[in-house]
Amino acid sequence: MSPRIDKTRALLRALSLAILATTPSFAKPPPKAAAGKPTAVEAKAFVDRVNQDLKKLWVKQATADWINKTYITDDTERNVATVNDEVLGYQAQAVKDAARFQGLKLDPDTARMLLLLRVSSSLAAPSDPSRRQELAGLGTRLEGIYGKGKWCGADGKSCRDLQQLSNVIKSSRKWDELLDAWTGWHTISREMRPMYARFVELANEGAREIKFDNGGDMWRSAYDMTPADFEKETDRLWQQVKPLYDELHCYVRAQLSRTYGKDKVPEGGLIPAHLLGNMWAQEWGNIYPLVEPYPGQSSLDVDAGLKAQKFDELKMVKTGEAFFTSLGLDPLPPTFWERSMFKKPRDREVVCHASAWDVMYDNDLRIKMCVEIKEEDLITVHHELGHNYYFHYYYKLPVLFQQGANDGFHEAIGDAVALSITPGYLKQLGLIPSLPADQKGLINNQMRTALDKVAFLPFGKLIDQWRWDVFSGKTRTADYNKAWWELRKKYQGIAPPTARSESDFDPGAKYHIPANVPYTRYFLARILQFQFHRALCQAAGSKAPLHECSVYGNKEAGKRLTAMLALGASKPWPEALQAMTGSRQMDATALLDYFAPLRGWLKEKNQGQKCGW
Ligand code: X8Z
Ligand code: ZN
């Protein structure tokens, strides 16, 4: 979609895809419809022109956005909101103008670009200029509040930002300390609720103007199937993996119960959300030491290795690049190293949430990340570079095709590559002292991976479950928090550590909500990345079990990968998936195969336990 792939991308794109009800200041409005009956030739000229206009607009938008996200001030916020307003206006008008070509027999590329024009934005704006402007302003303010969020303690004196509070959640094992960091961060989003409610109202208006039922319906329309079928598809995938999640939940709960006591973590109950090593309880790898299956078997403490090897921010990113180039992919362009932000600046506010960009839609690759020297961030570096390499291999396509086959593909590339960061590879880098030799070492390692990959699945699913219901009106503004915690309970089996009420707005404490980045992409990516990993391992001729395969250094795997990347969004995603994996269906069996050893172990361990909640 747009230059950057996280939220901004989403918002922008959303914003972006909406473009101009009023005449944009710089560009012309979308090409005027010719009088008379529309023709296929005219349709082709229309998309050509829209591609050109969008490129200019999106570059302008990404530029304003980059400046804002790397230097949050009132001025840069106002600036980005103005550009977003312009882009939203253009896009909305273009979508409406494109409607006249409906039903015409068109060449496949033109037809696909018209489809993408309508569905691939995460935000559409109302045509009324003042409402559109209000929407663009709200989007920017919401993200700004998140980016600047700090908890200054009950006394209002010692302020800590998300990074500092997250490090408490990651490392502390003291209930009260954890509780303070968790509740503290969740205060920053309270003021967002009325803004978010209005944002939803205006976004729905925009979506309806371009003939969607609501904003959620628009999001679900971007997967080459009907929104209803897509919803069924996500449910099907969740049902495939839920039994594995349930086993993991059961085991982790029992271990936490031993650490914190049965009164705090009761058998058969929900896990308090602040005990899982992550602010949102989305990935649990940080509590590995508390749940290690065979303590002392082999050290998988990569954080310690990174410190010992004196990794700095640059070395973290260089290490990521080296993996991709080992597959035969191109080195990142020199401008990547000049223009990226790797380190949190000390003198200004930035949006630290990691993102990848192609600001000029022309191989102007960058990442923006407040890298910390820890394993979690080494994986995130690979994740972001996955986006950059997607940008790199499709940047010569028309901008409407400069997107992933679907947004889950974009999120899955770097993670699929990172699945090849096996203990063998870590040892090679000198980041762990020895290899896990036996079955015990294998189970330890699988646990470490599952805490991130498997624990994430219900979280990845529920975020948009919540937003789909908010957009459709099924969840009223007055029930935002209640609905949120009902879903957290239903899918994740977790509970807030302290009483919540409707004066809280806990969804806003997760970046992608204020930033309006659709989230189902990450759920899909968690499943797709194992399918991709299996395909890359097959291309590399690996005979090893999936969890042992690393494609590091394999050029055949690299070729298989770049062939898919180069397609961008030019073909429906099942075709891209088939080219890569031989299958046209998203499917969790690769993930299940990967974790088969751990699953067997968990089943045994959980015997006699009262699993579930
Ligand atoms: O937002 C991200 C990336 C940028 S696209 C850092 N992720 C999700 C999250 O942090 O919640 C990656 C995993 C899920
Ligand atoms: Zn991403």
Side-chain angles (χ1 to χ4, degrees), residues 22 36 70 84 138 167 229 241 292 371 425 463 529 536 559 569:
T22 51
T70 56
N84 284 343
L138 283 168
N167 280 332
D229 282 347
V241 296
E292 187 169 44
V371 176
Y425 176 68
I463 302 287
Q529 63 187 259
L536 294 176
K559 275 189 214 153

Side-chain angles (χ1 to χ4, degrees), residues 14-16 18-20 84-92 123 125 132:
L15 288 171
S16 351
I19 307 195
L20 276 316
N84 284 343
D85 178 40
E86 184 179 357
V87 174
L88 281 169
Y90 180 91
Q91 289 180 172
L123 186 64
R132 191 181 64 235

Side-chain angles (χ1 to χ4, degrees), residues 274-331:
H274 63 324
L275 302 183
L276 290 157
N278 173 279
M279 187 60 83
W280 309 276
Q282 67 181 63
E283 280 151 340
W284 305 348
N286 290 329
I287 59 157
Y288 175 75
L290 296 184
V291 304
E292 187 169 44
Y294 298 103
Q297 272 309 301
S298 58
S299 173
L300 295 168
D301 190 349
V302 178
D303 285 8
L306 290 167
K307 304 244 152 71
Q309 298 288 322
K310 302 214 166 23
F311 269 58
D312 59 8
E313 294 83 0
L314 185 62
K315 189 156 181 206
M316 297 273 282
V317 184
K318 287 273 181 195
T319 303
E321 184 199 31
F323 203 112
F324 286 86
T325 53
S326 87
L327 303 176
L329 275 63
D330 298 333

Side-chain angles (χ1 to χ4, degrees), residues 5-6 353-356 383-384 387 410-412 415 512 521-522:
I5 208 109
D6 67 326
H353 191 89
S355 53
H383 175 93
E384 297 307 332
H387 289 309
H410 227 300
E411 298 301 338
D415 288 7
H512 303 68
R521 58 184 62 181
Y522 302 108

Side-chain angles (χ1 to χ4, degrees), residues 19-97:
I19 307 195
L20 276 316
T22 51
T23 307
S25 54
F26 97 81
K28 301 149 208 139
K32 267 257 160 301
K37 247 177 122 196
T39 65
V41 173
E42 198 194 320
K44 190 168 182 320
F46 176 86
V47 296
D48 283 351
R49 169 69 194 284
V50 167
N51 268 309
Q52 285 169 30
D53 290 348
L54 282 180
K55 182 159 177 183
K56 284 187 205 139
L57 280 164
W58 287 354
V59 168
K60 181 173 171 179
Q61 183 178 46
T63 306
D65 202 25
W66 173 267
I67 295 168
N68 171 238
K69 299 306 178 292
T70 56
Y71 190 4
I72 310 176
T73 68
D74 291 347
D75 292 337
T76 64
E77 252 179 40
R78 197 175 58 256
N79 188 45
V80 82
T82 306
V83 182
N84 284 343
D85 178 40
E86 184 179 357
V87 174
L88 281 169
Y90 180 91
Q91 289 180 172
Q93 190 57 48
V95 172
K96 285 171 200 157
D97 290 349

Side-chain angles (χ1 to χ4, degrees), residues 150-294:
K150 282 180 195 60
W151 164 239
C152 295
D155 60 1
K157 289 204 179 117
S158 47
C159 298
R160 284 171 297 168
D161 62 16
L162 176 60
Q163 217 170 31
Q164 294 167 308
L165 295 167
S166 288
N167 280 332
V168 174
I169 299 280
K170 169 184 169 170
S171 309
S172 171
R173 308 294 180 227
K174 295 190 183 133
W175 178 276
D176 288 339
E177 222 169 71
L178 290 164
L179 185 62
D180 174 65
W182 191 94
T183 22
W185 177 249
H186 284 78
T187 59
I188 68 105
S189 50
R190 285 184 168 170
E191 62 170 309
M192 291 178 191
R193 178 190 292 247
M195 285 177 247
Y196 190 75
R198 179 70 177 150
F199 180 87
V200 168
E201 202 171 285
L202 293 170
N204 275 339
E205 252 186 56
R208 287 186 190 119
E209 281 191 24
I210 54 171
K211 312 282 186 254
F212 292 105
D213 289 349
N214 56 62
D217 181 52
M218 182 172 92
W219 287 6
R220 290 188 303 273
S221 298
Y223 297 92
D224 298 303
M225 58 176 84
T226 66
D229 282 347
F230 180 65
E231 202 167 339
K232 274 192 224 136
E233 188 65 354
T234 56
D235 285 339
R236 178 182 68 78
L237 293 168
W238 169 236
Q239 288 309 322
Q240 270 190 293
V241 296
K242 183 176 184 304
L244 175 58
Y245 177 75
D246 289 349
E247 295 281 0
L248 182 68
H249 179 281
C250 190
Y251 169 74
V252 167
R253 182 177 61 197
Q255 298 310 107
L256 290 176
S257 212
R258 284 177 25 178
T259 306
Y260 294 99
K262 274 202 166 42
D263 54 325
K264 299 269 202 301
V265 187
E267 212 185 332
L270 303 168
I271 304 177
H274 63 324
L275 302 183
L276 290 157
N278 173 279
M279 187 60 83
W280 309 276
Q282 67 181 63
E283 280 151 340
W284 305 348
N286 290 329
I287 59 157
Y288 175 75
L290 296 184
V291 304
E292 187 169 44
Y294 298 103

